[in-house]
Amino acid sequence: MRGVTRPRREQERGTVPRWPFHALLVLPAAAYLWSGSYPGRHTAWWLVGVLGLAAGALVWAGRLVANRVLRAPWSWWFLVAPVAGALVLGLAVADGPLRARWELGRGELDAAARRVLASGNGEPTPLRLGTYTITSLEPVPGGVLMDEATGDGGTGRAGFAYLPEGGLQRLADEGYLSLSWWRPLGDGWYAWSDGS
């Protein structure tokens, strides 16, 4: 009696990552990108994203190996996850999530910075500006410093600085903050994080 083998089409169906597999990867990819939309990384979202994407990469690699071992027909579906992964990584490296989310609330952030510059005083916080919760809003030499509530439970600070004349490093040198990361956002705005 001959052994029963699955038809080639059935073998392919069992190994090729199709829409359900890729749909499941949308959630960890979104979590990973959302973690990068904060001026300081949101650790919980980042961890969910990285672990979910790592699990997806392992499943994808296992399916690729199974597909090749079974000599099932090659499918273009194997290209979807790596291409999407490259896009997600590219967005993260270019600070796309941070820049997009910051632009959404830029009008409110600009208005708050102008109020503080005009009055020379900080404002009561917490304050919702755009999609960010600002926990400290204070004048500093040459501009305004804003702390943002990342909510990750870390001890470091992160936020935005409006310094129309530049000088973010000067603020660090004068003890206002200890910079571990910063990015210019344009028009005198910076996103920053300290490592304390």
Side-chain angles (χ1 to χ4, degrees), residues 25 56 63 70-71 78 80 90 104 112 117 131 135 159 173 188 196:
L25 291 180
R63 286 183 169 204
L70 293 173
R71 297 176 192 222
F78 280 108
V80 174
L104 285 174
L117 286 174
T131 61
T135 58
D173 294 342
S196 60

Side-chain angles (χ1 to χ4, degrees), residues 165-189:
E165 305 299 319
L168 189 62
Q169 186 59 52
R170 188 180 79 190
L171 289 183
D173 294 342
E174 293 178 7
Y176 284 94
L177 55 129
S178 165
L179 290 176
S180 62
W181 174 93
W182 65 274
R183 293 286 188 277
L185 297 171
D187 298 327
W189 281 97

Side-chain angles (χ1 to χ4, degrees), residues 56-119:
L58 287 174
V59 169
W60 179 88
R63 286 183 169 204
L64 179 64
V65 168
N67 184 272
R68 296 296 83 211
V69 167
L70 293 173
R71 297 176 192 222
W74 173 256
S75 173
W76 65 271
W77 282 101
F78 280 108
L79 300 177
V80 174
V83 168
L87 289 172
V88 167
L89 188 59
L91 279 171
V93 167
D95 293 323
L98 171 67
R99 291 176 186 281
R101 186 173 172 202
W102 179 78
E103 280 292 339
L104 285 174
R106 183 167 179 183
E108 292 178 44
L109 291 160
D110 279 338
R114 281 193 303 274
R115 287 192 307 269
V116 170
L117 286 174
S119 71

